[in-house]
Amino acid sequence: MTNKQSLLTVSASPHLHSPVTTTTIMSDVLIALTPALIWACYVFGMRSLYITLVCVASCIGFEWLYEFILKKPFTITDLSAAVTGVLLAFNLPVTIPMWMPVAGSFFAIVIVKQLFGGIGRNVLNPALAARVFMFSWPSDMNHFVTPVKDRYHGFLLPKAEEGMDAVSAATPLSYLKEGRIPADAENGYTTLDLFIGNVPGVIGEVSALLLTIGFIYLLIRKVTTWHIPVAFIGTVALLTLVFPKGTAAVPFMWNQLFSGGLFLGAMFMANDYATSPVTGNGKLLYGVGCGLITVFIRYFGSGAEGVSYSILVMNLLVFYIDRLTKPVRFGGKKHAKQ
């Protein structure tokens, strides 16, 4: 037979192609984080933006420098370093000295990410690991300020340079650890204040509302799934409702949910692709574990917050969770252990 087209083409994988790339995913994450950054500039001043830009520039710079020195392919265009920079900045107080974001960026990119092989090979979430590393300077990491009262003035000028506005303040979690509702404390932070984000805290964690909007955007774009955030936040809600600490159960639960870094951690850091389980059941188990450790640290730890440490601990267990929840291959069967 002549002039016959071939009916079978043999080629190397992949055989299916998708427009979704690391760059498009990271772009969506940056878009989802933007509302919370705008709000931080509004309540804490433009220094929030300056710190974020320093973190992003430092992360990109250290990644480029590391790959240049070791003659590795450049990956800064995939925007993963930019996302790490934004998340690191979101975990820092607005009064932090400007050299500390640079040090934290170096630790996140070089120590936690690149030394383990780069994107997708890191064991720990780089931004969270850098945040814990930066508690080597606890006085700077624990210096929180009240939201600005003069919105116009606070938005234009760096917060740390406004002596009369940069007033140290206790975060809502510190009141909850004592068994008090923040609304009953001297500052009078209501549950609505906590949900909107008109309270002291780090740059990107204060507004549960805007973080939730960003997360819904990622769900719509199918960049992430609901499993880890729902399991994480749901576990914290259940435990704090069943075991309230020195006050009414329901108000205590709502205040625990909207205080600290729970929404930021559950929605944007616990579900990091490289450091979270693959399967749906694994994600649920992982989220429950994060919630259990968070509540344990909040109740019994020396500090008030436990989100960062809970995620890092569960990062180390991801390999075992994936093994435990690995599905059976089609046509295969589970073999009993000998």
Side-chain angles (χ1 to χ4, degrees), residues 70 103 208:
L70 296 185

Side-chain angles (χ1 to χ4, degrees), residues 137-188:
W137 300 276
S139 60
D140 292 310
M141 289 294 291
N142 287 306
H143 184 221
F144 305 108
V145 297
T146 57
V148 292
K149 303 302 181 184
D150 183 346
R151 300 296 186 186
Y152 180 77
H153 180 63
F155 188 83
L156 288 179
L157 298 178
K159 183 66 179 184
E161 297 176 4
E162 300 170 24
M164 63 180 299
D165 286 335
V167 179
S168 297
T171 62
L173 272 181
S174 61
Y175 295 120
L176 291 169
K177 189 172 182 62
E178 300 170 1
R180 295 190 294 164
I181 294 294
D184 299 331
E186 55 270 19
N187 288 314

Side-chain angles (χ1 to χ4, degrees), residues 52-81:
T52 304
L53 292 177
V54 169
C55 285
V56 171
S58 299
C59 285
I60 293 175
F62 284 127
E63 182 157 307
W64 179 88
L65 184 61
Y66 181 92
E67 292 169 343
F68 174 77
I69 292 174
L70 296 185
K71 296 181 172 56
K72 290 177 171 286
F74 293 117
T75 59
I76 59 174
T77 56
D78 65 16
L79 299 181
S80 61

